[in-house]
Amino acid sequence: MAASTRDLNLTGAALTPGAQRSWWLRDALAHDPGASCPPLAGDASADVVIVGGGFTGLWTAYFLTQRNPNLGVVILEQDICGGGPSGRNGGFASAWWDELDGLITLYGQDAAVRACRAISASITGIGEFCLQHGIDAWYRTGGYMYAITAAAHQRLCDQMVEIARDAGAGEELVRLTAPEVTSRCESPAFRGGAFMREGASVHPGRLVRGLRRVVLERGVKIHEGTPVTRLDGTTAVTPNGAVRAKHAVLAVNAWGVGWPQLNRRLVAWSSYIVLTAPAPDRLREIGWTGGELISDFRTSLRYFRTTPDGRVAFGGGGGRARRSVDDMFTHDARAVRETAEGFRLMFPSFAGVPIEDAWGGPIDVSPTHLPTFGRAGAANVYYAAGYTGNGVAPTRLAGEVLADLITGADTDTVRLPMVDARPRAFPPEPFRSWGAMVVRRAMIAKETAEEQGRAPGFFASQLARTPRRMGYLLGPD
Ligand SMILES: Cc1cc2nc3c(=O)[nH]c(=O)nc-3n(C[C@H](O)[C@H](O)[C@H](O)COP(=O)(O)OP(=O)(O)OC[C@H]3O[C@@H](n4cnc5c(N)ncnc54)[C@H](O)[C@@H]3O)c2cc1C
């Protein structure tokens, strides 16, 4: 039975998700509100126009101006930079060694390993960027621990570790016994797991706003409060003017479901995070002081990390699918309650520590669970999308790739396998979001039963496997 709000000890902003910006972004804006970037008023021209001022758009602008400081770059953002998932995520900048299975299936082993190394370089690059530009984004390299929470996940854990070992990356991902997991973080739910050494936590709000400051200093023009209604070739059309450019970049994440160039590549799915009050003493009691990023093995992933002042940010990907990005992605009190329930179950020793904040956002689920970057059909229109809730490190690489494609640089990044890859498309609407909803519900039912030591129902198990049977790299096999 679902716990009541009172049992969950939700307070303040946690009770009214969406009533204000994420805790990260509020903190970042209080720390540094940044220069004003008024909406576009009238027509303008540029070398490159970027739609979307999240990590993808800002990193693209950063690398473009690195490659050629004379380029005229304009970013058009409907909200404020970082108002979307880039300022709302869990702050996991994690490696791809756990993604090798899918990467090898798609691209072969050598290319898969190259892709992993490029993501690892992105993690390091984020740390270097923060250092170089004086951005206090709480960058901390504590690694990433996977925790097994159901007997059925042991096989997934073993496979993941073996695939990394067979690909020559055995040192990147190692198995952990139950006591080894407990020594990093104690929870009655954990039964063993694995450790991936490359993983850093960041304060996503300060990182995205720091990026905004740096690209502004480099002369990039940003117009916030400026929705782009369509691309006319490479001209971005907005209600109060257009930006005519030689190149256009779609950096719109899950909003891509509304763009003809991207909509068959994505399903928009929600994820929510709850944030506790500071409780550093409780963290010490459970031994979670190493700054590890942690997640379980569920498809409807639970992911959690700490903050320097001793909070836990706990996320749950068991949200809902929609045909367009609406209020459900930010205002879903039920999703907050479910996420809080997950936290309370996993960390009973935090009983009494209030959950002070909660927020949600959309995730752009791709058919392969992995992003692709490149040309979006029409000449000189580029995109990066499909991060599937794992974009903090990959968006930096995406920015580099798009900048190299646009400037014609002949680099290793443009030869990465996910550049101009064309994964199998999702079915058209209404089947796509309806199917996603049904399958997701079945996955959650299956995974909940497995965690509770029950045999999952036959229909739920079969439905949960549908995406794999249809050739998508999503969900259980
Ligand atoms: C709750 C949650 C937790 C997550 N946790 C993690 C995590 O821990 N680690 C991780 O790696 N990833 C995580 N992610 C995913 C990660 O946040 C994203 O993959 C990443 O931020 C994508 O960056 P982006 O710039 O492509 O997208 P966004 O940050 O969404 O930026 C896209 C921008 O485009 C703007 N836009 C859209 N349409 C238009 C338009 N028509 N005109 C103008 N502007 C437009 C939007 O307002 C938005 O600001 C999480 C996501 C969510 C929602």
Side-chain angles (χ1 to χ4, degrees), residues 174-396:
V174 294
R175 206 179 266 112
L176 295 182
T177 61
E180 284 169 340
V181 167
T182 300
S183 73
R184 289 180 179 273
C185 177
E186 190 177 341
S187 158
F190 298 168
R191 308 156 171 228
F195 187 72
M196 185 159 64
R197 65 179 180 175
E198 288 177 334
S201 56
V202 296
H203 181 316
R206 291 192 186 189
L207 178 58
V208 72
R209 298 297 293 183
L211 256 170
R212 175 187 185 273
R213 168 174 68 75
V214 171
V215 301
L216 283 172
E217 285 165 3
R218 290 181 168 197
V220 170
K221 290 203 174 66
I222 301 179
H223 296 286
E224 296 181 329
T226 304
V228 175
T229 51
R230 66 174 204 280
L231 281 183
D232 210 349
T234 48
T235 298
V237 180
T238 83
N240 295 312
V243 178
R244 186 181 301 276
K246 296 184 191 114
H247 304 269
V249 176
L250 282 173
V252 292
N253 192 16
W255 284 267
V257 295
W259 287 79
Q261 297 90 335
L262 299 177
N263 67 8
R264 292 286 299 277
R265 297 166 188 249
L266 304 173
V267 169
W269 197 266
S270 67
S271 184
Y272 275 77
I273 291 179
V274 296
L275 182 78
T276 68
D281 49 337
R282 304 284 173 101
L283 288 177
R284 274 193 295 277
E285 278 162 32
I286 61 169
W288 192 10
T289 53
E292 293 90 345
L293 307 164
I294 310 181
S295 79
D296 61 17
F297 279 93
R298 293 161 49 121
T299 303
S300 50
L301 190 75
R302 292 185 181 131
Y303 51 97
F304 23 105
R305 48 85 49 102
T306 55
T307 62
D309 61 347
R311 298 170 190 267
V312 176
F314 185 98
R320 297 190 247 172
R322 276 283 208 274
R323 290 178 73 163
S324 61
V325 178
D326 59 18
D327 273 4
M328 194 276 299
F329 290 90
T330 46
H331 290 63
D332 188 350
R334 191 187 79 178
V336 170
R337 277 200 310 278
E338 288 171 357
T339 309
E341 275 171 11
F343 170 69
R344 294 290 179 211
L345 270 174
M346 212 167 263
F347 292 106
S349 61
F350 274 65
V353 177
I355 292 172
E356 286 187 342
D357 223 300
W359 61 89
I363 278 173
D364 55 344
V365 176
S366 82
T368 61
H369 193 256
L370 291 161
T372 52
F373 325 129
R375 296 164 185 89
N380 295 345
V381 177
Y382 300 83
Y383 83 99
Y387 300 105
T388 318
N390 181 4
V392 173
T395 45
R396 184 184 176 283

Side-chain angles (χ1 to χ4, degrees), residues 52 54-56 77-78 85-86 89-92 228 251 253 303 361 389-392:
F55 286 142
T56 301
E77 165 56 52
Q78 62 187 1
S86 294
N89 59 72
F92 281 48
V228 175
N253 192 16
Y303 51 97
N390 181 4
V392 173

Side-chain angles (χ1 to χ4, degrees), residues 140-180:
R140 182 174 182 190
T141 50
Y144 187 138
M145 183 167 82
Y146 269 98
I148 295 173
T149 56
H153 297 164
Q154 183 68 54
R155 182 179 62 89
L156 299 179
C157 182
D158 291 345
Q159 268 175 5
M160 185 177 82
V161 171
E162 279 156 25
I163 290 169
R165 189 198 55 209
D166 293 349
E171 74 285 6
E172 301 294 349
L173 198 48
V174 294
R175 206 179 266 112
L176 295 182
T177 61
E180 284 169 340

